[in-house]
Amino acid sequence: ASPSVKLDISGNVHADGYIAFYGTGGGTLAGYVGDGANMGGATADDLVVRGVTDVLISTSNGSTNAMMLKASGDVGIGNTAPGELLEISMSNGGPVLELSSWSTNDAHKGVLLFQKNSTAGVNGTPATTVANEDLGRIVAQGVNGAGTPAIDEAAAILFEGDAAPDADAVPGRIS
């Protein structure tokens, strides 16, 4: 009938390769959506979304910024400026990270895993941890009452290697 935009499609669309998205006026490339074979670094049956800088996922017709994938690799859920690899934020409530297992099998359970490998590369060849090495931490923070308030550690649970690992165990302690 009378489309209200330049391209209005009713029905299925087939795109072979990728679709590029440009800002208003067409001068600035914003990003691409396509298959892995044409976008690089994946296989043909992978969907790849690539932003020129960051990728924002919004909901509520664009009024809620749900997730931000930064060019640095940081991910913000409820936060468009994450300061860590994964930051979950909520402005009016307490964010919850839930690990659920819905199963009658006792072997199926939610797990929060802290893994330490004494090698520099991600997914590299594992290197043995050593006695007294920090293996992970759970930290609770609050804002102090200084003249210029700052975030300070209030309490922590530290997981450490208790002794040198042997062939089938990594002795550890919680402090």
Side-chain angles (χ1 to χ4, degrees):
S2 299
S4 60
V5 294
K6 291 186 179 189
L7 177 63
D8 190 349
I9 300 171
S10 177
N12 298 330
V13 175
H14 173 93
D16 187 12
Y18 64 88
I19 300 170
F21 293 89
Y22 290 85
T24 304
T28 304
L29 178 64
Y32 308 87
V33 175
D35 68 80
N38 286 291
M39 298 289 287
T43 62
D45 57 355
D46 291 332
L47 175 66
V48 177
V49 177
R50 181 180 295 160
V52 171
T53 54
D54 303 330
V55 175
L56 172 66
I57 298 171
S58 64
T59 60
S60 302
N61 202 25
S63 66
T64 302
N65 294 331
M67 182 184 298
M68 175 66 82
L69 309 171
K70 300 294 285 181
S72 64
D74 292 350
V75 176
I77 298 174
N79 186 332
T80 58
E84 299 294 338
L85 191 57
L86 174 62
E87 184 171 339
I88 302 170
S89 304
M90 186 176 210
S91 61
N92 292 316
V96 174
L97 177 61
E98 180 176 329
L99 306 172
S100 297
S101 175
W102 299 80
S103 175
T104 58
N105 184 331
D106 286 344
H108 301 163
K109 55 193 162 285
V111 175
L112 181 58
L113 175 66
F114 296 87
Q115 180 174 314
K116 175 68 188 275
N117 183 349
S118 291
T119 188
V122 174
N123 296 324
T125 303
T128 305
T129 54
V130 298
N132 300 315
E133 186 167 355
D134 290 352
L135 304 176
R137 294 173 55 124
I138 298 174
V139 177
Q141 296 180 322
V143 178
N144 66 28
T148 304
I151 296 173
D152 277 334
E153 183 175 304
I157 299 171
L158 175 61
F159 304 93
E160 299 173 285
D162 200 31
D166 59 29
D168 58 356
V170 178
R173 66 178 175 268
I174 300 173
S175 56

